[in-house]
Amino acid sequence: MERLDAFMARANAAYYASHDPFADFTTSPEITQVFGEVLGLWAAVTWEAMGRPDPVLLVECGPGRGTLMADALRAVAQAAPGFRTALRMHLVETSPRLRAAQAVALPEEVAWHDDLASVPAGPMLLLANEFLDALPIRQFVRRDGAWMERFVSDRSFVEAPVKDGTFLLPLPPGEGWGEGSRKHKPQTYTAASPDQAGPALRGLPHPDPLPEGEGAVLELCEPACAIAADVATRVTRNGGAALFLDYGPEQSALGDSLQALQNGKPADPLAAPGEADLTAHVDFAALARAASGARVHGPVPQGLFLARLGLFQRSGRLARTQPPAKAASLMQAAQRLAEPDRMGRLFKTLCIAHPDLPMPAGFEP
Ligand code: SAH
């Protein structure tokens, strides 16, 4: 029997080490070069606002084929040569297979890391597209008035009671869970004794009021929250900003969002570990809470963010220099990324920045 997050970590490590994930799904940088270009320019503009530190770390988490970074570098070399000279590239990537692809796509100066912990301290700009959704989650299910945790055994879910917990005090009223609650502020949590708190969810910032409905599912991505907290500490100490683009709701929401893609099609997440890509929705409100200390901007819908950054203008300018078929596909790609009923609304952009940094581009109210 394996806890769901352990199962998911093992399955995804095997999947990314042995498969070309882009055979199963595509991502924004693979859809259009303009995505990486505008994110590179966002980083350059933010670097100006930071006072042009030299050197500055340019970090990407989960760079896939290296496409986003290659497109960003090209745009930056042209539009912001000072930033291009100042930046030091650090990639956080665990898959040897994808590291090899990144080495082909990018200049030799890249340094790789297994996780953020070994990235040196310093002023930093960080980009992460569809990285957090691949990180392992835990799931809790409400049964007979108590919380059970989901484990995986023999390719199916089993539920075990949550025990031995230090329970955490509820969020202040109105700062809670679910649609309709007020915007989340960063929170700190104080441990209460388990008997004060009833059935325990160990170490979890749990919703208030706890959902009572039989079968309610609550998800928690501890590594994503740990990364948000680490990034917040780093940018607050040394300056900088981090941009996370991923899909998920603005407010923490109940429900099972674990999904698998195998051979490009939805699959049973437990059936074939290592053969399918496992993802879950990103809980942006939880990230924002974890990033307390830094300033959190957004989340704003990806479509709005990219449109503000000039996705359509840049795609249009590029299209004018291309043959008609390529020009049309560039404009269609921009629409796919930005239209609300496609990737524009479900995908969100969140920025964790130094508290004194002016409002980053794209996050204006
Ligand atoms: N950002 C890319 C790729 C997204 S796929 C794009 O937009 O195209 C997810 C990426 O995260 C892959 O590069 C994968 O190998 C990497 N990844 C997944 N889990 C990881 C982990 N725990 N630590 C570091 N990288 C991870």
Side-chain angles (χ1 to χ4, degrees):
M1 190 159 99
E2 205 174 7
R3 211 167 73 182
L4 176 59
D5 54 345
F7 172 85
M8 188 172 168
R10 192 169 58 80
N12 267 352
Y15 173 78
Y16 282 105
S18 60
H19 286 68
D20 173 12
F22 300 97
D24 285 330
F25 59 86
T26 191
T27 54
S28 302
E30 302 297 331
I31 292 171
T32 172
Q33 68 181 75
V34 181
F35 182 78
E37 291 173 358
V38 295
L39 293 195
L41 297 174
W42 181 90
V45 168
T46 310
W47 174 73
E48 298 273 350
M50 288 162 64
R52 304 168 65 99
D54 183 359
V56 62
L57 306 168
L58 179 59
V59 183
E60 188 183 356
C61 295
R65 286 174 169 160
T67 310
L68 188 165
M69 189 57 96
D71 293 337
L73 287 182
R74 194 181 52 249
V76 157
Q78 232 193 5
F83 177 51
R84 179 66 189 90
T85 328
L87 68 85
R88 303 289 179 271
M89 243 183 301
H90 293 268
L91 305 181
V92 176
E93 175 62 70
T94 39
S95 158
R97 199 184 158 103
L98 288 173
R99 280 191 185 196
Q102 292 152 20
V104 172
L106 295 169
E108 272 171 20
E109 50 187 279
V110 180
W112 279 276
H113 304 266
D114 284 332
D115 56 41
L116 209 51
S118 59
V119 173
M124 168 176 90
L125 290 152
L126 181 146
L127 304 172
N129 183 61
E130 289 207 50
F131 166 68
L132 299 175
D133 65 350
L135 300 181
I137 58 161
R138 296 170 67 181
Q139 284 187 339
F140 303 89
V141 191
R142 189 83 176 157
R143 299 280 181 221
D144 290 335
W147 286 100
M148 308 282 277
E149 179 153 17
R150 276 183 149 176
F151 290 75
V152 180
S153 173
D154 199 17
R155 303 186 177 210
S156 52
F157 279 123
V158 291
E159 294 170 3
V162 176
K163 43 179 191 284
D164 80 324
T166 308
F167 213 107
L168 299 173
L169 287 177
L171 298 169
E175 293 294 335
W177 205 259
E179 303 297 335
S181 55
R182 277 194 283 122
K183 202 167 160 44
H184 288 269
K185 285 205 299 272
Q187 298 291 330
T188 49
Y189 300 95
T190 321
S193 68
D195 52 331
Q196 243 179 311
L201 294 181
R202 188 162 192 274
L204 303 185
H206 69 77
D208 172 37
L210 279 166
E212 297 292 325
E214 177 70 13
V217 176
L218 196 152
E219 295 181 338
L220 177 78
C221 187
E222 287 165 316
C225 291
I227 287 167
D230 185 9
V231 163
T233 306
R234 284 170 181 258
V235 297
T236 303
R237 259 191 215 142
N238 301 311
L243 202 57
F244 293 95
L245 298 105
D246 229 306
Y247 60 100
E250 189 170 337
Q251 300 290 346
S252 303
L254 292 171
D256 176 359
S257 76
L258 183 67
Q259 58 182 32
L261 275 181
Q262 187 174 0
N263 303 321
K265 296 194 202 75
D268 174 353
L270 308 186
E275 297 300 317
D277 173 56
L278 300 186
T279 59
H281 282 187
V282 170
D283 181 348
F284 285 97
L287 295 182
R289 290 194 294 266
S292 70
R295 175 154 309 160
V296 177
H297 303 274
V300 298
Q302 162 168 300
L304 181 61
F305 178 74
L306 293 176
R308 284 172 167 172
L309 259 46
L311 173 75
F312 288 100
Q313 290 87 335
R314 207 175 162 83
S315 300
R317 264 204 309 279
L318 188 61
R320 283 203 285 280
T321 66
Q322 303 295 318
K326 170 83 172 136
S329 82
L330 273 166
M331 297 317 290
Q332 282 157 12
Q335 283 161 1
R336 179 168 172 192
L337 262 47
E339 280 178 0
D341 56 347
R342 299 173 81 191
M343 295 170 77
R345 189 185 295 141
L346 178 59
F347 280 73
K348 309 282 189 306
T349 314
L350 184 88
C351 179
I352 300 175
H354 187 281
D356 298 339
L357 198 69
M359 174 78 68
F363 290 92
E364 303 80 6

